[in-house]
Amino acid sequence: MSTPTLDIKISSMYPPGQQGGIRAYASATIDGCFAVRGIKVVEGGRDGLFVSMPSRKTVDGYKEVCFPVTAEFREQLHNAVMDAYQQAITMAQAPPAQQEGGTPQEGQPETAGGEIPQESQQMAGM
């Protein structure tokens, strides 16, 4: 089985404490044929930030609506989402002169709302 190609987009970002523990929302397109929206980057837990898949509340707590089936793909997806989030933070913190053209343009990071395109990330070698 080949390594899936992941295209991750950070759709919105929030400062610490503004949306509870949610720091960002992301979407993932897998091999250009299946998309997942509502992936969250959440602050908390042992390791600081973690990736939370879309879920719904049940009487027994929260259940993921969609999720990676294998540990290997879960790790690949987690790494791709966290890499895209770190890139979005770096771009958002860069002085305007260092960002493309020096003026905000469509596709550049925003603190809330708007799609932030990230380059397709081939997960080979992870």
Side-chain angles (χ1 to χ4, degrees), residues 6-124:
L6 295 173
D7 182 27
I8 306 296
K9 291 180 175 49
I10 302 298
S11 55
S12 55
M13 295 171 50
Y14 304 97
Q18 183 176 331
Q19 291 289 322
I22 299 171
R23 299 300 302 276
Y25 282 94
S27 61
T29 303
I30 304 164
D31 281 343
C33 61
F34 187 79
V36 178
R37 291 184 182 154
I39 299 170
K40 294 180 275 203
V41 176
V42 181
E43 189 170 16
R46 308 182 303 241
D47 303 322
L49 296 175
F50 66 94
V51 174
S52 174
M53 296 301 291
S55 60
R56 62 182 171 89
K57 190 172 184 175
T58 68
V59 291
D60 300 323
Y62 287 90
K63 299 288 184 191
E64 291 181 335
V65 174
C66 55
F67 49 89
V69 175
T70 65
E72 294 81 9
F73 186 66
R74 180 175 290 277
E75 182 178 351
Q76 290 172 354
L77 182 61
H78 176 274
N79 290 340
V81 170
M82 294 307 294
D83 288 349
Y85 176 67
Q86 292 302 328
Q87 287 177 3
I89 287 177
T90 300
M91 289 178 67
Q93 293 174 346
Q98 291 181 357
Q99 294 178 4
E100 296 174 25
T103 58
Q105 298 175 1
E106 184 179 345
Q108 289 193 330
E110 300 175 7
T111 54
E115 290 267 324
I116 303 168
Q118 299 296 329
E119 306 222 353
S120 291
Q121 300 183 19
Q122 183 71 20
M123 300 312 298

